[in-house]
């Protein structure tokens, strides 16, 4: 509440404490809940805040962990004009060397922390045949979420990760994603 009130002072730039985006008071027309075009006026919700169709590869070409990380890091670099895909690849591979981010249900969550690419960013890659990614019991991973986590979003990332894992623990939900 206090941060919302401070925004109206216009005396400095304010950032969201969770995602580091700039905050400013909305000064457009008043939104009416029965307005059919309301979805065009509201901020993006859910996973749409952190990703877009441009950050999704429905057919990864990779055949190993390094290839998956490279493809998704290069996609983020190209789409977000992030100048150093090599940095993303290197940090993600070093993170994977500590412990794999492959988990149950054919999921993997390679990520890098402490890099600001304009906010928490999520790229999705699919490999229907699956790839060994270090998941328990040598399961093949098919759904990959490559995430860039800026310092201010570190705690929020864990909430997002938990929500993704919970949603994708359902076989029907995984099948729906893999059918894209």
């Amino acid at each position: 509440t206090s941060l919302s009130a401070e925004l109206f002072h216009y005396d400095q730039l304010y950032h969201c404490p969770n995602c580091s985006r700039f905050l400013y008071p909305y000064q457009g027309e008043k939104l009416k809940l029965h307005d059919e075009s309301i979805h065009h006026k509201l901020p993006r919700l859910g996973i749409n805040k952190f990703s877009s169709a441009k950050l999704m590869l429905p057919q990864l070409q990779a055949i190993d962990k390094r290839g998956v990380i490279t493809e998704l890091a290069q996609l983020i670099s190209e789409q977000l004009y992030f100048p150093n895909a090599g940095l993303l690849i290197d940090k993600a591979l070093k993170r994977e060397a500590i412990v794999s981010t492959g988990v149950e249900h054919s999921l993997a969550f390679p990520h890098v922390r402490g890099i600001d690419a304009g906010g928490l960013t999520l790229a999705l890659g699919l490999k229907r045949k699956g790839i060994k990614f270090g998941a328990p019991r040598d399961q093949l991973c098919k759904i990959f979420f490559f995430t860039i986590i800026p310092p201010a979003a570190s705690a929020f990332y864990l909430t997002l990760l938990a929500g993704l894992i919970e949603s994708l623990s359902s076989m029907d939900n995984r099948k729906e994603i893999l059918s894209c």
Side-chain angles (χ1 to χ4, degrees):
T1 304
S2 62
L3 181 56
S4 298
E6 288 179 42
L7 293 177
F8 289 100
H9 291 284
Y10 299 104
D11 59 346
Q12 66 181 25
L13 292 174
Y14 291 92
H15 298 273
C16 172
N18 291 319
C19 69
S20 297
R21 292 183 182 184
F22 289 109
L23 300 175
Y24 56 92
Y26 179 73
Q27 295 188 353
E29 62 188 61
K30 186 175 181 181
L31 298 176
K32 299 176 186 124
L33 292 178
H34 64 277
D35 186 348
E36 291 181 17
S37 66
I38 195 168
H39 65 277
H40 295 295
K41 297 177 184 175
L42 292 175
R44 298 183 304 168
L45 301 174
I47 203 166
N48 286 335
K49 284 182 176 180
F50 315 109
S51 194
S52 74
K54 292 179 180 179
L55 292 174
M56 298 181 188
L57 288 175
Q59 296 179 358
L60 287 168
Q61 302 301 310
I63 57 170
D64 60 12
K65 184 185 286 196
R66 175 180 285 279
V68 169
I69 288 171
T70 299
E71 275 187 70
L72 292 173
Q74 287 175 340
L75 177 68
I76 288 172
S77 182
E78 291 165 11
Q79 293 300 321
L80 298 181
Y81 308 107
F82 187 79
N84 194 347
L87 174 69
L88 299 178
I89 295 164
D90 184 53
K91 284 185 149 270
L93 289 172
K94 284 180 180 174
R95 167 65 186 83
E96 288 294 323
I98 296 169
V99 65
S100 177
T101 57
V103 298
E104 299 282 337
H105 308 299
S106 304
L107 303 172
F109 297 90
H111 59 276
V112 295
R113 291 181 185 266
I115 294 179
D116 194 357
L120 186 88
T121 304
L122 193 66
L124 170 68
L126 304 175
K127 183 74 172 185
R128 285 166 190 76
K129 290 173 71 175
I131 293 175
K132 285 192 177 193
F133 211 87
R137 295 182 307 281
D138 280 334
Q139 287 182 12
L140 297 178
C141 293
K142 299 178 180 183
I143 302 171
F144 304 88
F145 290 95
F146 187 96
T147 311
I148 298 176
I149 309 159
S154 210
F156 176 74
Y157 167 70
L158 297 176
T159 305
L160 176 65
L161 179 64
L164 286 169
I165 290 172
E166 181 180 340
S167 295
L168 295 171
S169 64
S170 159
M171 185 181 296
D172 290 339
N173 290 345
R174 291 191 309 274
K175 283 182 180 178
E176 190 172 338
I177 286 180
L178 288 169
S179 70
C180 292

